[in-house]
Amino acid sequence: MRSRILPLIATLAVFVILYLIGWQRFPAFGTTRVVGNFLTDKSFLGIAAVGMTFVIIAGGIDLSVGSVIAFTGVFCALAIGQWGMHPLVASGLILLIGAAFGAAMGAVIYYFKIPAFIATLAGMFLARGGSFVLSQDSIPIDHPFVNDISQIFYVFPDRGRFSFVAFIFVVVLVVGIIIAHYTRFGRNIYAMGGNNTAALLLGVPVGRTTIGVYTLSSFLAALAGIVYALYTKSGYPRAAIGVELDAIAAVVIGGTLLTGGVGFVAGTFLGVMIQGIIQTYVNFDGTLNSWWTKIVIGLLLFLFIIIQKVLTSYRGTLTFRLIPGLSRPAAASGTSASPP
Amino acid sequence: MGFRELMSDAAEKQTPVLQTSKLTKWFGPVRALYDVDFNLYAGEVHAVLGENGAGKSTLVKLITGVYRKDSGAILLEGQAIEPHSPHEAQAYGISTVYQEINLIPTLSVAENLFLGRQPMRMGFIKTGEINSRAKALLKTYNLDIDASHTLSAFSVAVQQIVAIARGVDMSAKVLILDEPTSSLDAHEVQLLFEIMRSLKARGISILLITHFLNQVYEISDRITVLRNGEKIGEYLAASLPKRELVSLMLGRELVSVTDEGNTNGKAAHQNERSFLQVEGIARRGMLEPLDLSVAKGEIVGLAGLLGSGRTETAKLIFGVEQKDIGTIYVKGQKTTIRSPRQAIGQGFGMCPEDRKIDGIIPELSVRENIILALQAKRGWFKTLSRKRQEEIAVEMIEAMRIVTPDSTKPVGQLSGGNQQKVILARWLASQPELLILDEPTRGIDVGAHAEIIQLIKRLCADGLALLVISSELAEIVEYSHRVVVLRDRKKLTELTGDDISEQMIMHTIAES
Amino acid sequence: MLETKTAVEPTTAPTPFNLMQTLSRNRRFLFPVLALILILIGNRLISPTFFTIRVGPDGRLIGSLIDILNRGAPTVLLAIGMTLVIAAKGIDLSVGAVIAICGAVAAVLISTTTLPPLLVIAIAIGAGILCGLWNGILVALFDIQPIVATLILMVIGRGIAQLITEGQITTFSNESLEFVGTGLIGGFPFPIFLSVIVVALVWLLIRSTAIGMLIESVGANDRASFYAGIDATKIKLLVYIISGICAAITGLIITADIKGADANNAGLWKELDAILAVVIGGTALTGGRFYLIMSVVGALIIQSIQTGIYISGLPPTFNLIVQAVVILAILFLQSEDFRRLFTGAWAKLRRQS
């Protein structure tokens, strides 16, 4: 078994078990209506968490995502409602602003060697403060285009809805997986998180990649903000407080090592869905305090951190066998000794 | 020096692949490398040898662009080059495999081989091709592994081969191997040598840095010896006897084994009951079972080349590393020592080899550094009063002649010699019964050097038991009552009385 | 080299006092204190009555300075614990959640049981100790990165507080407990006394014993500390427990102040204020040397900015932006690479001209 995948399998197991528990208790868990709602409700968190996955794999952290989501919402609501921008223009603009914001944090982290924790904490204050400066109150978004968009959804046979925001989430997920595994940028992120010094020696453009990864994270946070605004049809400066924590939890539960270098975008998807299941279960139950959600997520977080600790401290050495007689051409292959 | 400088005829005719001429590097006032001419010819394995501080790693780091030279030139195939980073050196065709393998442990073997140069199709990596090409590439190194596995899942030997394969595959003319065998077992070493030979056959030149002398003779064609930043000479391995090599490295001429030896107490302490008695301590990959004893008022020297197991012995005794087997007796009582804290509880103290990393607390003041071990021993609440602390500090500063304006100066701002004295002072303040000193005089100027040796002798006269490690044979000979000689992580012998002489130690290292 | 064979006379005689030398040596202390004075002067410019302190009808001293000390007490308390944690190369993200837990414990016990108030306070502080112990065990024994280890309690903590209050905002009416938040001694609000007492006690515990030096030693060079025989595990447990106690006392003040426990909002984001106060005070996030009193100054700087924004009539939400700018300015000044960037650019400019 490949040790890299072990945490992911643990996540999958937890996901399946929780889902089955939910299904057994509330048969509605089996319907596409509930599943579709999972996706829609958690789409903004999921999009932000994909960005967080890259940051954590690179060995960093991004505390600013919740604030960027709120800022985006307020900005869009104002741009559409008061400045008369078309929603598409407003979205394009805020995505650019988000990317630039992330690039600035990345540059501060790389060039001034300021810990990511502190640099993104400052970013969190700035973005949250910025959204309060734009508006103190919740601003509704009412625009024909936005209303049309919210009406786009695919209806499953049993009348569950696959909404437009869920669609964006799935697209981000797929693109995220492709970036992570099939681009040099993605592999460089893994390399940097695995061993920063070695990555530099192997020719990984560490500066560009660091800035790129925070750019990506803030860009996705802005996208999550757009999705959140679509979902709530409003912009609110107090929105999405603590979403960065949920995103970090989703990433860790999804099997990404907080020490960097190892992780899966697909795992983050499972981590987000696990949170969705727990929340839905608590909601359905009705007697449970809604804060059970946080506690269960926290306990899962604890569980996975312990699993990670055990896995990383275990330095298993795969056995290998070498082919004797090196002077002979290599074609004379010996016993293949693939690891157990 | 009276040694033949041997140059092969063939080599003199051809231009070296890699050449340095009058290469010089200063670190502040310290001369790390001075006027070094180094020649690496096509298809040879060339070992660069020298003790710590000889300038080996400075030479390598200048060639690979980690450091910038102060003067001199680096020529690759006759062309002057000036790499600014290891990556740039790689582009010139100079690949380096470091002792601490610089690959990404969390990526797969295949990805490590092709990081930054993955085969692409329409902007996307062809993952399947990476794995198959990696497998094929490693086959040429007779390594049959599943390259899609994480690198860290494989042994160091495999990781090293992967690093070599990557370097060579990226068009290497020159391969630099920095201590490649230090964590390999005998079988793996042979495997690496096979690979080096086949690379040599392909015309690749290999610069080898190692401290295993037997391996040098087994694999290298030519040897360059450095000492104190200067080139001592360049020799054909086949015509340089090992004894001469050892004396070149240590900078002492070998005369016959009959000179004066040392004048210390002549095994006077042999019969006294030992303070420390060590029986068969060993740890896999670090040290083979070793016996040792030290009595009060006795200095036992640990001699051997770098990597011979000297430091490892000290670390096992002091509980820094855990021994696999073996027993430690203190005053005849069997004791368990699993941490420095427990060792200190038994009355031990240890000045570690790397004082910057393991010794000083740079931000803390001289006073705090001096009383640290004593205070740690006393616990949280039996606090030394500020007045008492100051007394101890001033007393130590005077006794050890530590050059500092006052006891409040952060230790990080003192010179190396004074830092070393502060650490010594820290242990003396804790009033130990046994003091382990690992290279107490390294990187210290001449004046401080003599002072520290005087101090060691004085401590011994005061009844302390001392176990001292040093690369300076003259030093060991001067103060030791007994000398334990190590090589290749094994104790070779124990010299006493008249047998203690530089010649005898070198003789033992080279011959037995 | 500087080293000579003859040692310099050990300085037994005190060198004459030199103002410039003292100033340059203590630049680290000077900078935050100057910043605080400047901010206070700035506040005075905004509000002419800023420095005025008058006596209210109930004997209470009223004035912006008193207000800063009173409102700043929670941040001061948290910053004390946080300073020690950071000095030992750690960080404690959970203090906000611990505030909520301890506040909830106190509010629920006082309103639903007949336990004497002092016992309730003791139990609440005990809860803080448990929280600190949990963090300490994860960091010191399980060797989990501090930021990760304390994140767990940060996520779970508010849920636990909610469970304790059963999701209600628990209110109570008990003069003894309320005194912790709103009581007066000699006209001064009790939280000011509390913070002064805690600062003094921690200072005594840390600086009059060897503990402070051992914390610095472990934080500055853990390997050398290991060689010197220092028990880093015990040190780490201790600093997280102290941080837990400080958070618990803060929780009591906040709960007593509002006469109720708000599990959702009590102490929200207080950990960030505390970390910021420590950093402003000059203790590096990388551990080692710490400056307890300077952290207090840092906490007062943060509170003065907030009070200043409040009295200037700007919306309080500007706090965040101003704080962000202050953090960035301070961090840039502390960053060697930032300074090098400018000295490098300066050198280049001079070379060109």
Side-chain angles (χ1 to χ4, degrees), chain A residues 2 4 178 182-184 187 190-191 194 198 201-204 261-262 316-318 320 322-323 325-326 330 336 339, chain B residues 86-87 102-104 106-107 111 115 117-118 124-125 127 139 142-144 148-150 153 155 158 166 191 194:
Chain A
R2 290 172 200 194
R4 270 183 300 179
I178 291 171
Y182 297 98
T183 66
R184 282 202 181 144
R187 298 325 289 168
Y190 278 83
L201 286 174
L202 293 176
V204 170
V262 179
T317 299
L318 293 182
F320 68 99
L322 292 137
I323 311 145
L326 276 142
S336 160
Chain B
H87 191 52
N102 274 302
L103 292 175
I104 315 291
T106 50
L107 289 185
E111 286 190 288
L115 187 68
R117 53 193 194 105
Q118 297 98 335
F124 297 108
I125 295 170
T127 316
K139 271 242 168 94
N142 285 22
L143 195 59
D144 193 8
S148 65
H149 276 279
T150 316
S155 70
V158 172
R166 178 183 162 95
L191 187 88
E194 291 280 358

Side-chain angles (χ1 to χ4, degrees), chain A:
Chain A
M1 194 70 279
R2 290 172 200 194
S3 58
R4 270 183 300 179
I5 300 184
L6 266 178
L8 189 62
I9 288 170
T11 311
L12 189 64
V14 168
F15 173 76
V16 170
I17 290 167
L18 287 177
Y19 188 79
L20 289 180
I21 292 173
W23 197 6
Q24 190 265 334
R25 177 84 201 280
F26 307 106
F29 264 70
T31 64
T32 54
R33 199 155 43 82
V34 171
V35 176
N37 283 350
F38 275 1
L39 281 172
T40 306
D41 293 346
K42 291 285 159 196
S43 53
F44 80 96
L45 172 62
I47 292 168
V50 169
M52 186 71 82
T53 312
F54 284 104
V55 174
I56 291 179
I57 289 173
I61 199 143
D62 185 355
L63 297 182
S64 70
V65 293
S67 309
V68 172
I69 290 174
F71 183 82
T72 304
V74 175
F75 180 90
C76 286
L78 281 177
I80 295 166
Q82 295 193 7
W83 308 334
M85 275 186 214
H86 189 273
L88 279 180
V89 178
S91 302
L93 198 58
I94 192 64
L95 287 178
L96 277 179
I97 295 174
F101 183 72
M105 288 193 299
V108 166
I109 291 164
Y110 176 72
Y111 288 110
F112 304 144
K113 308 271 178 298
I114 286 177
F117 174 76
I118 294 294
T120 59
L121 176 64
M124 167 186 177
F125 282 11
L126 271 181
R128 183 70 66 184
S131 37
F132 276 118
V133 171
L134 287 181
S135 165
Q136 291 287 326
D137 311 302
S138 176
I139 313 163
I141 297 177
D142 188 18
H143 189 279
F145 182 77
V146 175
N147 296 337
D148 289 348
I149 290 244
S150 338
Q151 291 310 311
I152 302 174
F153 47 78
Y154 172 79
V155 182
F156 291 109
D158 57 348
R159 292 195 291 161
R161 286 177 178 185
F162 183 70
S163 63
F164 180 70
V165 292
F167 172 73
I168 294 182
F169 175 29
V170 172
V171 169
V172 166
L173 204 62
V174 173
V175 172
I177 292 174
I178 291 171
I179 290 179
H181 297 283
Y182 297 98
T183 66
R184 282 202 181 144
F185 174 63
R187 298 325 289 168
N188 287 345
I189 292 173
Y190 278 83
M192 237 167 59
N195 182 342
N196 210 325
T197 340
L200 195 64
L201 286 174
L202 293 176
V204 170
V206 170
R208 214 167 63 201
T209 313
T210 305
I211 294 172
V213 91
Y214 287 95
T215 309
L216 179 65
S217 174
S218 289
F219 174 85
L220 287 177
L223 184 61
I226 295 171
V227 164
Y228 191 72
L230 277 176
Y231 175 61
T232 58
K233 294 239 183 73
S234 67
Y236 182 43
R238 281 180 211 280
I241 286 180
V243 163
E244 51 278 340
L245 289 188
D246 291 340
I248 293 170
V251 171
V252 174
I253 292 173
T256 297
L257 291 189
L258 268 159
T259 43
V262 179
F264 303 93
V265 175
T268 301
F269 171 72
L270 289 178
V272 171
M273 287 299 100
I274 286 173
Q275 294 194 13
I277 291 174
I278 295 166
Q279 197 172 15
T280 310
Y281 186 96
V282 169
N283 288 347
F284 276 17
D285 184 278
T287 61
L288 287 173
N289 184 314
S290 68
W291 280 86
W292 273 109
T293 319
K294 289 274 173 206
I295 294 179
V296 176
I297 290 170
L299 289 176
L300 281 176
L301 191 64
F302 174 63
L303 178 75
F304 276 86
I305 286 168
I306 295 293
I307 291 178
Q308 289 186 3
K309 195 71 215 168
V310 173
L311 281 181
T312 45
S313 60
Y314 167 73
R315 288 250 165 270
T317 299
L318 293 182
T319 52
F320 68 99
R321 198 179 307 156
L322 292 137
I323 311 145
L326 276 142
S327 39
R328 265 174 275 133
S333 68
T335 335
S336 160
S338 48

Side-chain angles (χ1 to χ4, degrees), chain B residues 138-156:
Chain B
L138 291 175
K139 271 242 168 94
T140 67
Y141 291 85
N142 285 22
L143 195 59
D144 193 8
I145 57 171
D146 183 348
S148 65
H149 276 279
T150 316
L151 181 80
S152 62
F154 293 98
S155 70
V156 179

Side-chain angles (χ1 to χ4, degrees), chain B residues 31-275:
Chain B
R31 198 179 68 182
L33 205 65
Y34 188 69
D35 265 3
V36 168
D37 295 335
F38 170 75
N39 301 301
L40 181 65
Y41 296 96
E44 71 166 356
V45 175
H46 190 147
V48 176
L49 301 177
E51 281 291 275
N52 261 335
K56 296 170 300 186
S57 64
T58 309
L59 177 67
V60 167
K61 284 176 174 167
L62 287 169
I63 293 172
T64 56
V66 176
Y67 297 154
R68 304 292 178 73
K69 63 182 176 5
D70 288 325
S71 63
I74 303 167
L75 305 167
L76 185 70
E77 292 174 329
Q79 299 286 312
I81 58 166
E82 216 165 317
H84 292 76
S85 70
H87 191 52
E88 218 172 284
Q90 168 82 68
Y92 284 120
I94 302 171
S95 294
T96 314
V97 176
Y98 298 94
Q99 184 178 4
E100 68 288 1
I101 298 160
N102 274 302
L103 292 175
I104 315 291
T106 50
L107 289 185
S108 75
V109 170
E111 286 190 288
N112 269 294
L113 284 170
F114 292 101
L115 187 68
R117 53 193 194 105
Q118 297 98 335
M120 309 287 276
R121 184 194 294 131
M122 295 165 58
F124 297 108
I125 295 170
K126 294 197 270 183
T127 316
E129 196 180 317
I130 288 183
N131 286 331
S132 57
R133 272 175 60 180
K135 203 166 165 66
L137 178 61
L138 291 175
K139 271 242 168 94
T140 67
Y141 291 85
N142 285 22
L143 195 59
D144 193 8
I145 57 171
D146 183 348
S148 65
H149 276 279
T150 316
L151 181 80
S152 62
F154 293 98
S155 70
V156 179
V158 172
Q159 298 189 23
Q160 211 138 37
I161 295 171
V162 171
I164 293 173
R166 178 183 162 95
V168 172
D169 197 46
M170 290 175 75
S171 87
K173 295 168 190 149
V174 173
L175 182 64
I176 300 174
L177 300 177
D178 184 2
E179 298 286 2
T181 57
S182 55
S183 25
L184 304 189
D185 65 29
H187 169 69
E188 293 166 333
V189 168
Q190 284 314 312
L191 187 88
L192 181 72
F193 284 178
E194 291 280 358
I195 287 172
M196 286 168 70
R197 285 188 195 111
S198 74
L199 291 174
K200 206 171 99 174
R202 285 163 59 181
I204 293 169
S205 313
I206 298 174
L207 191 167
L208 173 70
I209 291 183
T210 183
H211 53 252
F212 295 103
L213 293 193
N214 289 337
Q215 296 178 4
V216 169
Y217 281 99
E218 195 178 338
I219 191 73
S220 32
D221 304 302
R222 197 185 303 272
I223 295 170
T224 289
V225 176
L226 299 178
R227 194 172 66 228
N228 295 330
E230 286 181 57
K231 177 173 164 180
I232 300 303
E234 186 178 313
Y235 313 88
L236 280 181
S239 40
L240 179 70
K242 200 196 276 177
R243 292 181 46 175
E244 283 183 30
L245 174 61
V246 171
S247 73
L248 285 169
M249 286 170 68
L250 297 172
R252 310 255 182 265
E253 291 205 20
L254 273 183
V255 208
S256 58
V257 188
T258 51
D259 80 326
E260 72 278 14
N262 83 353
T263 50
N264 295 335
K266 312 279 183 213
H269 304 271
Q270 275 301 75
N271 299 326
E272 276 183 28
R273 193 150 146 231
S274 297
F275 172 75

